[in-house]
Structure formats: structure tokens, C-alpha cells
Amino acid sequence: FTHLVGFRPLRRKAHDQLRKAGFQVTILTRAGNNHSFPASVHVAHVDYESLDSLTHALHGQDAVVSTLASVAITVQLHLVETAARAHVKRFIPSEFGSNTLHEKSAALPVFADKVKVQAALKKEASSSGLTYTLICNGPFLDWGIAVGFIMNLKGKSIDLFDGGDRYFSATNLATIGNAVAGVLHHPEETKNRAVYVHDTVTTQKKLSAFGKKATADKLGEWKENIVSIDELYQQGWAELKKPQPNPDGFIFNFLKTSIWGYGYGSHFEHTDNALLGIKEISDAELEEEINGLAKQCTLLDRASNMKANEQSQVRAVTSFAAAPITVKVTDSAYSEPAGQLQGVPELVEHTGREADALSAAELRNNMPLRVCKPSRGMKLNTFFTCLLYMAAAVVEAAPQNSSEAAASRQIIQWQRQYNRYIGDTIKKRKTGGTKDKIIFRQEWGSLSFQQRIEYTNAVQCLAKKRPLSLKTDVPGARNHYDDFVAQHIKVAPNRLFFPFHRYYVHLYEKALREECGYRGTQPYWDWSLSWQDPAHGTVFDGSPTSMGGNGKLIPNSTATNITAFSINLILPPTTGGSYVQHGPFKEGTFTVNLGPAVFNPNAHGNGLGYNPRCIKRDISTVWAANTRPTYVLYQLTACGDDFGCFGAVTEALNGTHTGGHYTFGGDPGFDPYASAGDPMLFLHHAQVDRLWTIWQALNPSVGTKQIYGTETAFNSPPSPNVTLTMDLDFGILAPKQKVGTVLSSVDGPFCYAYI
């Protein structure tokens, strides 16, 4: 019996070959997933974060084959540990690539996680009955050519590293599947070691000749670009050492170095092909394979796609069919549908996979993503259906218990209703918010690495622009970002919570785009995806593609006392408390100049004086629990179409709004007035706004017509009721707006939707 886990393109090939070889396959999938799988496959629903859950699922299995993305290091280490506990006999990790047993390759930073897994396997092998096999196969030959990694058949070009004369081993995906089956058929011969396989040993020069011949009938000349591996390597390190490195600027540099650099072990002079029943292909067969790939040039390589479409919001290529078709939606690369969706556009990824659903794990691990790009003549509701399933995959990524998983699924259903509502609202419009003008806000975790970095760079840019505020009005303002913080401090005591923040976030998004060249939209932070462990979610993991990590732990720190809106709140310390240590807003890279206003006030007493410091955070799982899917579900359903009740539930001390704020807390995050000093506020309030738009879609007859409350927050001090004709004051940021003009995200000054 073999246990196959993972979500990468290799998974299908490995599964096919294991079934052909007579192995019985079990698939691991996250608890709560209700997707369909082939009838011949046994499915085990697990919590990947729970050792007990994994141990139970692996009990009685002979082998585990992992095809997880290498960035899923925590899950893979859990699998190694639980495989040993469950007395699994053989573990095949997600190696499948460069020769990481070679000293020079192992030292490259892109392989650090693979080396950690190897060390864990060796440790278990020495102390338990678990054995392992590492499979080294070089670059994926067919996939690498199809996506433009090895050579660009569509663009008729190839990069020849150091002239392109070095020999290297390469393997087709199906052959790797055969290798997996071969290892399991020869357990003793492959025990506790690496096996080396390849389909061919070739050079880039030889591939270039075949590629030139295969594309001779296409327009343009075949180009050979000579690239220095040493320069590529040095550029990779230079990028990695930057405060805000671009992953595209170092990951591929190091991968290509391991394949085409001198002395990295990429030419397997001795292989296990004979043992595993693998036959090498001839040059004639290699040429035939390249000819076939050349005919499939609808699969564009990622680099040419990014240049051709600067407006693309993810690293993928999307092609829409002329007429509505059926797309099968599954949790993996299998073809059996969980449900067939009429009218969903065909999606063609540069990975070369079929038009099945993008898995949740690939979204979370930043594998190449699809984007739903509207085309002329396309039905708008078809477009929104496509967007919905991207959003659904994000929600499904978070491990949940049964009640939380059920709540997540219900929220997805309401997201679908919201998509239809927006589509129906704007599809026939000729003016105002139309389908040609609408922009889409995405969840942070569904953005590509590059998009996240572009966003945080734009925030840093705004913090370098000159302030608009007058010194007499805001003495502490030192940059344009401070203008936004100052306005939040001034307006926080007032009512109009939802409409103010809707326009406020819109102005911030507008400033990033118009003043700092940001091409994306304002992302949102869906708290319900990471409420169990926010410090390790994509928002707060401290990586260069996060919004910065936790603050440094302050031993024996005291509680924070906050008095605001006639409420006295004592916040005990949790996991951090001091300055942020990692990520784009770490200590020394971003300055908070204003606030606090309601605790430890600065010399000016109102939060507007000059008080320079770095961001502090104190990430709390206690407060994050108030943002779990069941709480979001309650927020959307508890009040029916009563907006006042909806607002009260949202803003309650145990509600999602407060929970989101105090999940990251710190200074200025704990301060309800000055909290905008931490750029996280804008992702947080985009999520608050997103839930308001979904509630409006659930209650279309009143959703964009209601306002509630008094002119002061929590009516402290007592004040008159607000009205739709009341002005919203944005100070120097923008002219005043009537409340009634900002109640719809696709009317008045707005034309955006959430996906």
C-alpha cells in the first residue's frame, strides 16, 4: 500500500504509474474538503497540523510518497515524524530535482528546506524503523520546455549558460512516476540512499538546435543568448541580501546555477535506470518530443507572458473559450469532477496542466496561479464564477475542524452570491461603475510573491513622499503616509464606521497607485484563513513577501491599558510586544511618527505630535480566535437585514473587527485611533469592507440604503443620529463625501469588488 500526498504537477504522473504498477493508493486531503476523487482511490481526510491526525491516517501504510512543494517544509517535517510514529516502512520525500546530495548544490539557499528534510529522515532512519529514498532526476524535461524554463519555443529563444556546452541530466514527469514505482519494487536496493534517474543526458546547444528546427515555420529568428552562470549566481546573492528581496531575482538564479553551473553534480554519470526499469531516450526521440511541444505553443512561458501583459495580476496565462464550456473542479490534478460548472472559462496555465481547479495548497504556496481576465464579448457572470473558484481555493487552504470547515464552505457560497450580485449590478451599465472599469481586490495569500513585494514597496514609497498636512495642524507629520494616520486619529471618535473606512481605504489605494506607481489593488487579509496560527500565515510569517512578522518577545512585560469610547480595556502581553524583527516593516525600515492617542500619549496629548519609533507587534491567538470562520458566519447571519445590528456584532469587543486589530496589536496597533500607523490596518479594514459588501449582497433590497448609529462612536458623548446626507470628512486627503454616495462599492466614486 502506498500513501501519496501533495499537490504539485508531478502528483498525477506518480499516481498513474503507481496504479499501473499494482500499488493501492491513498490520497491525503485536508479535513473538511468535500471534493470527489476517482473511485479506485482511497481518500484520508487529515489535519496536516495535527501529529495525531496524520499518525492515524498513516497507520498501516507501507510507504509515503510526498510531492509537496518544497516551501511546505513544516508539513513535510510533520509527515516524516508521523510516518515514523505510524511504523511506515519507506518515505520518499519531495526531492525530485537537482542533485542536492552534491555539496555545492546543497549549499544553495533554495535547497535549504530539502536539506532539512534529508536530515530529519536520516535521524529517523537511525532511531526508528523508517527508511527513505531520495530521487534525483534533474530538471523536468517536458514541463521545463513547455513553460519556457529550459528554452522558449514560443519566443524562439534559449539562454545558453556559459555557452551551453555542459552536459546535464533531465527527466520527463512520467519517468519520475516510473522511478517512484521502481523504488517501491526494490526496497532493499534503494534503502536509505539517493537514486539517480534521467531520460537523457544532453546539452543546451543540442536542445537549441532541435528547438530551432522545430520552430522553423514560425515567424522570427531563433535567438541564442549567452549568459554567465557566475553573474547569475552573484546577482542571486545580491538580490537575496536586499532588505526587500524579489524572489524572482534569486530563486531561478540559484535553480539554474544548480542545473547548468560547473561542478554542481547535474550530470548523472552513474544512474539507477537499469535497477528501476527506466530506458533512456535517443536523440531522435528527444527531437520528436521537442517537435511535439513546439506544436503546443498555446502554453506561454511565464517571462514572455509577464512582459506581454503588465496588467496581469498573477503569474499565469489565461485564455477564454469563445463559447461557455464545462470545467471540472477538483482538489488535485485528477479529472473526476466535484461538480461541473457551466459557463466557466477555460483556463490555460503556463504549467501545462489541464483546466482543472487550482488547488488550495498551490495558492498558499505561491505556485503559478490562474487569473480570470475579462475578454471582449465574454459573459460577466462567467467571469465572476471564475473569480469565485480562485477565492474558494484560498478559503479551503486553512486547516479547520468540522464546524469551522462547514462555516468556510458557507462563506464561499455567499461569496458566490456576492459575485452574482455585483455581476448583475454592472453588466448592463454604460456609465459609472461598469464591467470595463471594475478592479478586483485579492486576499494577501493569493497574490504572487512579486505582487506582495510591489505592494509593500509602494507603502514604503508613500512614507517617503512629502506630507500635505500643515505643521500647525499635525505637528508630527513627516511624510504623506502620516497624513492618512492623522486623519484616522481625528475621525476615530466619530460614528460612520463602515462608510468612513470604505472611502478611507479607497483613498489610500488611490494614493499607492497614482503617487507610487503601484499597479495592483488594495489586498485584504482574510483573518479566518490563519486564525489558528496567525504568526505563520502569509501575512505575518516575517518573510520578504509578508507584511512583517511579530515583535520581539519582551520577558515579564506588563499589560497595556486602553481607555476609549468610555471603555477601559486591559490587554495582557502575549507572544511579542517589542519591535518587528523580520519582513518589509522590520525595525529600522519603517517609522511610525504619530500616536499613540489613547494609551501612553505623547507630549502633545492628542496623538498628532512627533513621536518617531518603529512598529511593535504582539501577535495573539486569543484575539485571533474571534476571527474564526464560525464568528464570520455569525457576523453575516445574526442580524438579517438590520444594518445597525450587523454593525454592532462586527464592532463588539468579541467581534471580528476588534479581533483582527488585536491579533497583531502592539504599538500603534493597540490604539484604535492611531492604529493606521501600522500598514496592516488597511489590509484589515479591506477585509471588514469585504464582509460588508457580502452582507449587502445577501440583503440587496436594503444593503446599500441603510446607515445606523449616532455621530459619535458608541454614542459617547451623546450625539444626533447619522443620516445619508451627512458629510464624511477626509481633511486634506480629499473633499467631503455624502454618506449616501459611498454605500455601494460599484457606485459613486467606486468600482471595485472582492475576489
Side-chain angles (χ1 to χ4, degrees):
F1 297 86
T2 300
H3 219 103
L4 182 69
V5 301
F7 299 91
R8 298 183 62 183
L10 176 61
R11 178 176 175 175
R12 176 188 294 230
K13 297 296 184 183
H15 168 258
D16 289 345
Q17 299 308 320
L18 288 171
R19 289 179 64 188
K20 289 178 182 178
F23 290 98
Q24 206 169 338
V25 179
T26 299
I27 301 298
L28 295 187
T29 189
R30 292 195 184 278
N33 264 340
N34 60 352
H35 295 301
S36 299
F37 294 90
S40 59
V41 175
H42 178 257
V43 178
H45 295 273
V46 299
D47 178 355
Y48 279 119
E49 310 304 320
S50 168
L51 294 179
D52 289 338
S53 175
L54 287 171
T55 301
H56 178 75
L58 296 180
H59 183 72
Q61 299 296 323
D62 290 320
V64 171
V65 181
S66 170
T67 55
L68 288 167
S70 60
V71 293
I73 178 68
T74 301
V75 173
Q76 191 146 218
L77 290 175
H78 277 176
L79 283 168
V80 172
E81 181 178 351
T82 53
R85 287 175 56 178
H87 306 293
V88 171
K89 297 174 183 177
R90 180 62 52 91
F91 194 104
I92 300 177
S94 185
E95 195 67 35
F96 308 119
S98 295
N99 184 6
T100 56
L101 278 298
H102 192 281
E103 183 179 5
K104 287 183 68 174
S105 286
L108 293 172
V110 290
F111 299 131
D113 286 348
K114 289 190 175 184
V115 173
K116 289 179 183 177
V117 173
Q118 292 170 14
L121 285 167
K122 291 175 183 177
K123 180 180 178 181
E124 291 292 350
S126 66
S127 60
S128 70
L130 181 68
T131 63
Y132 66 88
T133 304
L134 312 175
I135 298 179
C136 297
N137 47 253
F140 301 160
L141 180 62
D142 46 358
W143 184 88
I145 295 175
V147 304
F149 179 75
I150 293 177
M151 63 178 167
N152 184 357
L153 292 175
K154 174 142 184 96
K156 298 191 67 171
S157 67
I158 187 172
D159 289 339
L160 299 178
F161 297 102
D162 292 347
D165 291 317
R166 290 197 185 109
Y167 286 96
F168 67 98
S169 296
T171 312
N172 289 318
L173 289 175
T175 302
I176 300 170
N178 286 330
V180 172
V183 165
L184 298 176
H185 276 305
H186 298 86
E188 286 303 315
E189 299 96 320
T190 60
K191 178 180 177 181
N192 295 340
R193 72 177 182 94
V195 297
Y196 294 85
V197 298
H198 62 216
D199 274 310
T200 185
V201 174
T202 188
T203 67
Q204 290 185 290
K205 273 285 193 181
K206 183 179 290 186
L207 294 179
S208 180
F210 290 154
K212 180 179 180 180
K213 185 177 178 181
T215 59
D217 60 339
K218 301 182 184 298
L219 294 175
E221 296 294 323
W222 182 263
K223 297 179 181 179
E224 293 183 340
N225 309 308
I226 305 300
V227 179
S228 166
I229 279 289
D230 184 62
E231 289 181 7
L232 197 73
Y233 175 83
Q234 296 299 334
Q235 290 167 4
W237 275 112
E239 184 65 35
L240 187 59
K241 291 177 181 178
K242 291 180 180 179
Q244 298 177 356
N246 177 0
D248 284 350
F250 65 84
I251 290 177
F252 291 104
N253 292 47
F254 293 133
L255 287 177
K256 291 174 180 178
T257 296
S258 73
I259 299 168
W260 294 297
Y262 176 74
Y264 285 86
S266 59
H267 174 196
F268 307 155
E269 296 184 4
H270 303 286
T271 71
D272 295 275
N273 280 18
L275 172 66
L276 304 180
I278 294 169
K279 180 183 177 182
E280 291 188 26
I281 61 176
S282 65
D283 282 352
E285 290 171 318
L286 175 60
E287 183 176 10
E288 183 180 355
E289 181 174 337
I290 292 172
N291 287 337
L293 291 168
K295 295 176 182 178
Q296 301 175 21
C297 281
T298 52
L299 301 176
L300 307 180
D301 68 286
R302 179 174 136 207
S304 64
N305 174 56
M306 290 297 289
K307 292 177 182 177
N309 182 12
E310 292 185 351
Q311 308 249 330
S312 175
Q313 294 193 345
V314 289
R315 288 181 263 165
V317 181
T318 305
S319 173
F320 286 98
I325 63 166
T326 298
V327 172
K328 299 175 180 180
V329 179
T330 73
D331 185 52
S332 66
Y334 296 111
S335 60
E336 270 75 354
Q340 296 188 337
L341 308 173
Q342 297 295 331
V344 181
E346 181 182 5
L347 304 173
V348 180
E349 295 180 288
H350 76 269
T351 57
R353 279 176 36 185
E354 285 126 5
D356 51 5
L358 188 64
S359 75
E362 287 172 325
L363 277 169
R364 303 304 297 173
N365 293 334
N366 202 57
M367 295 292 285
L369 309 182
R370 300 186 178 101
V371 61
C372 303
K373 178 183 174 186
S375 61
R376 193 167 301 212
M378 174 187 172
K379 293 183 178 180
L380 194 65
N381 282 342
T382 297
F383 181 31
F384 278 97
T385 305
C386 175
L387 298 177
L388 167 68
Y389 280 91
M390 286 183 63
V394 178
V395 172
E396 289 170 0
Q400 315 275 10
N401 62 35
S402 58
S403 60
E404 300 301 336
S408 292
R409 289 194 295 272
Q410 183 58 64
I411 294 166
I412 292 171
Q413 294 300 316
W414 286 332
Q415 176 81 42
R416 177 184 300 181
Q417 186 168 333
Y418 161 71
N419 292 151
R420 286 196 294 264
Y421 170 74
I422 294 293
D424 290 340
T425 300
I426 69 174
K427 65 182 178 181
K428 295 181 179 179
R429 287 183 175 177
K430 302 298 183 184
T431 60
T434 65
K435 63 182 180 181
D436 298 323
K437 296 178 181 178
I438 195 165
I439 61 175
F440 298 97
R441 294 178 177 175
Q442 294 177 244
E443 207 279 327
W444 180 262
S446 71
L447 299 176
S448 69
F449 285 169
Q450 181 63 32
Q451 289 172 304
R452 296 180 210 171
I453 290 172
E454 287 176 356
Y455 177 80
T456 54
N457 284 347
V459 175
Q460 294 280 9
C461 162
L462 204 63
K464 296 175 183 176
K465 298 286 185 181
R466 295 182 62 180
L468 302 178
S469 300
L470 299 175
K471 286 287 185 182
T472 54
D473 184 34
V474 186
R478 294 295 185 272
N479 55 61
H480 192 26
Y481 185 91
D482 291 341
D483 295 329
F484 285 89
V485 182
Q487 192 60 24
H488 196 269
I489 291 173
K490 293 177 182 179
V491 174
N494 299 331
R495 188 62 283 174
L496 305 169
F497 172 80
F498 284 98
F500 168 78
H501 283 97
R502 171 167 287 177
Y503 197 70
Y504 179 68
V505 173
H506 163 74
L507 292 175
Y508 181 74
E509 177 184 53
K510 187 170 181 283
L512 295 178
R513 288 162 65 93
E514 295 181 359
E515 300 179 45
C516 289
Y518 176 54
R519 295 179 299 172
T521 57
Q522 174 60 47
Y524 66 92
W525 165 39
D526 186 347
W527 333 286
S528 66
L529 298 180
S530 57
W531 67 273
Q532 293 167 301
D533 188 11
H536 293 94
T538 55
V539 174
F540 294 120
D541 65 12
S543 68
T545 60
S546 70
M547 286 294 292
N550 198 6
K552 185 177 181 179
L553 178 65
I554 302 177
N556 304 315
S557 59
T558 58
T560 301
N561 293 286
I562 295 177
T563 301
F565 315 123
S566 299
I567 298 172
N568 184 47
L569 189 61
I570 300 176
L571 301 171
T574 56
T575 62
S578 188
Y579 299 119
V580 170
Q581 297 295 296
H582 303 286
F585 300 108
K586 66 183 179 182
E587 184 178 4
T589 63
F590 189 84
T591 302
V592 181
N593 292 319
L594 305 179
V598 297
F599 72 93
N600 188 27
N602 62 46
H604 293 274
N606 59 4
L608 299 177
Y610 185 48
N611 183 26
R613 61 211 188 277
C614 297
I615 296 174
K616 295 180 180 179
R617 286 186 184 148
D618 193 9
I619 293 178
S620 167
T621 56
V622 175
W623 285 102
N626 290 350
T627 65
R628 67 181 69 187
T630 50
Y631 276 45
V632 174
L633 185 68
Y634 179 77
Q635 175 186 346
L636 291 170
T637 59
C639 301
D641 63 1
D642 185 341
F643 187 33
C645 175
F646 172 78
V649 170
T650 302
E651 297 182 70
L653 192 58
N654 65 342
T656 57
H657 169 248
T658 306
H661 268 294
Y662 291 162
T663 291
F664 56 94
D667 175 23
F670 275 146
D671 191 312
Y673 292 62
S675 54
D678 187 331
M680 267 308 303
L681 174 127
F682 296 94
L683 278 77
H684 169 54
H685 267 281
Q687 165 72 350
V688 173
D689 184 66
R690 169 181 173 251
L691 295 181
W692 182 24
T693 63
I694 292 175
W695 179 86
Q696 289 177 314
L698 295 175
N699 302 280
S701 62
V702 297
T704 59
K705 301 178 179 66
Q706 287 189 12
I707 195 65
Y708 71 95
T710 61
E711 293 181 15
T712 52
F714 304 104
N715 199 29
S716 178
S719 59
N721 290 333
V722 298
T723 66
L724 295 177
T725 58
M726 183 174 290
D727 285 328
L728 293 167
D729 188 0
F730 296 95
I732 50 86
L733 297 177
K736 293 180 179 179
Q737 293 285 324
K738 297 293 183 185
V739 172
T741 65
V742 299
L743 298 186
S744 168
S745 71
V746 291
D747 284 311
F750 309 125
C751 192
Y752 69 87
Y754 291 96
I755 60 173

